Amino acid sequence: MGDAGFRSDHGLRLAYICGAMANGITSTAMVEAAGRAGMIGFFGAGGLSIDQIETAIDTLQANLGARPYGFNLIHSPNDMALEQKTVDLYIAKKVRLVSASAYLDLTTPLVEYRLHGIHRDANGRIICPNRIIAKVSREEVARKFFSPPAHKYLQRLIQEGKINAEQAELARQIPVAQDLTAEADSGGHTDNRPALCLFPTMKALRDEMAAQFNADIPLRVGLAGGIATPESAAAAFAMGAAWILTGSINQSCVEADTSTLVKKMLTEARQADITMAPAADMFEMGVKVQVLKRGTMFSMRGAKLYDLYRTYEDFADIPESQRKLVENSFLKCTFEEEWANTRAFFMRRDPVQVERAEKDPKHKMALVFRSYLGRASLWAKTGAADRAIDYQIWCGPAMGAFNEWVKGSHLEPPENRNTVDIAMNLLYGAALIMRLNHLRNQGVPIPAMPGLLAPAKKDQIRHFFLEV
């Protein structure tokens, strides 16, 4: 199933990606397990320091060698210095594959990563060592990834001495990304697009862009968002997905670097237990992320903070009762005490933000509120007992669908949820559905077979599939 060229180009046995979940939730252990099984995992580098990302790179390069792996590169419109430092690290460490996520537009660091080392080989073919798999939910953004880099990026990189004129000319003949994942209704950053609407649109765009540019570089589209059962995996491949990507369901796996309490909360989630909340990294822009609603008040508290930010120019302007609510229940300290902590963080990370905040009280308020939003995901990851009600847990409705599918099976308890075991059950189940549908479409009567797609243990999957 999936695209043979995609599997060949990336050294895969299976057209399956374990998507990046920020703060290292998609851990080195998960990426390694996927790579050893012939799949690919992307380490969740978003939200981590450069030192933490470098440690993960060293670990995976030592443990996986030539096996496939990748790292996330998340768009950071409020911290472009961090995005540039991350790209610098990936280039220095020769990380050859990134998952570009949450991009609203291309950026110079992203284009620099793609073009680093571009050249012609002895046969005259354009070789671009660094590859990008873009994760996109908007057609206008997908169009930019499937196109060669815009002139403004090439000029800027030439001026900075990062590429030469010859490399810029080669860049005009390749897409920024050959591979693009259509991101439907997913956890975290999402536009809540239905897969049945989004994927055909992305496929049509792929065909349009392929006709315009280099025919020697086939453009490919995979699908993510809502893939949690054999039926949804089969539907993705039936629509022509070159690969499938899972995210939410992997967060409850044993390899996920998050707390035991979060994994338990995720196993209890149903499809309606999901909602939207303000994003910490794009707070001022009003961008939202999809999170777990059941068992946490994060979404309501985040919405309250955004409403206050939008309404008032200064924290001091907020009515006293509302200020006390934020300080006593959300921050658990005074606004000024929280600002001192936030200021110290940005003095290390991006001092320009501090300088701006000390002149602009609204920006200071935004940074403090973002601090709460950002730490809420860390409280969840570490399992901070006194902050359970504030946990920010990224997931989409796929989590609920998965829980319904595995109910009563060995995959119901979180301690049994293994990344590769889940992937193989999804893929074998999808293959079985597609073969049965081929028979059904030829007029062969297919009797009801209750429990046919129930999850099986790893050593039983292949035998069960062949037997059926």
Side-chain angles (χ1 to χ4, degrees), residues 183-210:
E183 184 179 21
D185 194 7
S186 63
H189 285 286
T190 182
D191 285 313
N192 306 111
R193 306 288 191 214
L196 291 176
C197 299
L198 179 65
F199 187 75
T201 300
M202 292 298 188
K203 273 183 61 181
L205 176 65
R206 174 202 65 190
D207 296 342
E208 175 192 338
M209 302 304 288

Side-chain angles (χ1 to χ4, degrees), residues 90-396:
Y90 289 165
I91 289 174
K93 289 286 186 176
K94 297 183 179 178
V95 173
R96 296 305 189 193
L97 182 65
V98 301
S99 169
S101 60
Y103 277 82
L104 305 174
D105 197 353
L106 302 185
T107 64
T108 303
L110 177 69
V111 175
E112 178 191 353
Y113 171 82
R114 171 62 166 155
L115 299 183
H116 183 79
I118 187 172
H119 64 281
R120 286 191 185 275
D121 66 9
N123 297 316
R125 294 177 304 174
I126 298 176
I127 304 298
C128 209
N130 294 341
R131 295 185 175 187
I132 294 171
I133 300 181
K135 192 160 61 173
V136 179
S137 57
R138 296 183 179 226
E139 182 182 359
E140 66 274 16
V141 179
R143 184 178 295 275
K144 294 178 180 181
F145 273 106
F146 273 155
S147 301
H151 178 72
K152 63 180 179 180
Y153 299 116
L154 301 179
Q155 285 297 106
R156 196 171 300 150
L157 290 173
I158 289 175
Q159 291 168 4
E160 294 174 358
K162 292 178 176 177
I163 62 172
N164 56 39
E166 182 183 354
Q167 289 175 314
E169 183 57 36
L170 295 178
R172 293 185 176 95
Q173 302 174 57
I174 64 161
V176 174
Q178 178 182 3
D179 299 317
L180 183 146
T181 303
E183 184 179 21
D185 194 7
S186 63
H189 285 286
T190 182
D191 285 313
N192 306 111
R193 306 288 191 214
L196 291 176
C197 299
L198 179 65
F199 187 75
T201 300
M202 292 298 188
K203 273 183 61 181
L205 176 65
R206 174 202 65 190
D207 296 342
E208 175 192 338
M209 302 304 288
Q212 290 184 34
F213 297 111
N214 194 332
D216 295 331
I217 303 177
L219 304 180
R220 300 176 290 231
V221 181
L223 183 60
I227 297 176
T229 63
E231 290 90 344
S232 53
F237 286 123
M239 285 194 293
W243 64 89
I244 59 173
L245 182 151
T246 56
S248 297
I249 62 175
N250 300 329
Q251 195 172 188
S252 64
C253 290
V254 294
E255 299 94 343
D257 189 9
T258 192
S259 64
T260 301
L261 179 55
V262 164
K263 292 177 183 180
K264 183 177 184 299
M265 293 169 70
L266 287 166
T267 61
E268 296 170 351
R270 295 295 175 259
Q271 293 184 50
D273 294 334
I274 310 300
T275 191
M276 301 299 293
D281 54 348
M282 302 182 187
F283 177 75
E284 297 95 317
M285 301 165 66
V287 174
K288 295 184 177 182
V289 290
Q290 190 156 221
V291 298
L292 182 67
K293 176 174 62 175
R294 181 174 180 172
T296 169
M297 293 182 67
F298 170 78
S299 60
M300 290 181 284
R301 290 183 169 183
K304 179 66 175 178
L305 292 178
Y306 183 70
D307 184 57
L308 293 174
Y309 168 77
R310 188 180 57 180
T311 305
Y312 300 98
E313 297 300 311
D314 190 327
F315 188 76
D317 296 337
I318 299 174
E320 183 179 3
S321 62
Q322 299 298 299
R323 282 189 281 117
K324 291 298 182 185
L325 173 66
V326 171
E327 292 179 329
N328 295 338
S329 298
F330 297 16
L331 305 180
K332 296 190 184 295
C333 64
T334 67
F335 180 84
E336 290 305 323
E337 288 171 336
E338 186 57 46
W339 167 241
N341 296 330
T342 304
R343 185 182 187 281
F345 171 83
F346 277 103
M347 284 301 295
R348 297 188 302 270
R349 182 83 160 258
D350 186 4
V352 173
Q353 299 295 329
V354 175
E355 182 181 347
R356 178 183 167 192
E358 290 179 341
K359 296 177 182 177
D360 180 0
K362 192 176 183 73
H363 188 59
K364 178 190 287 188
M365 181 166 53
L367 293 183
V368 170
F369 289 176
R370 283 171 54 191
S371 174
Y372 165 81
L373 298 173
R375 287 183 298 142
S377 60
L378 295 177
W379 294 328
K381 178 181 174 178
T382 59
D386 62 334
R387 282 292 196 167
I389 202 167
D390 294 298
Y391 284 2
Q392 177 180 191
I393 304 170
W394 303 300
C395 74

Side-chain angles (χ1 to χ4, degrees), residues 21-28 43-48 255-258 381:
M21 293 177 285
N23 289 333
I25 294 172
T26 301
S27 62
T28 55
F43 179 77
L48 299 183
E255 299 94 343
D257 189 9
T258 192
K381 178 181 174 178

Side-chain angles (χ1 to χ4, degrees), residues 27-34 60 255:
S27 62
T28 55
M30 185 176 291
V31 175
E32 184 175 344
L60 287 171
E255 299 94 343

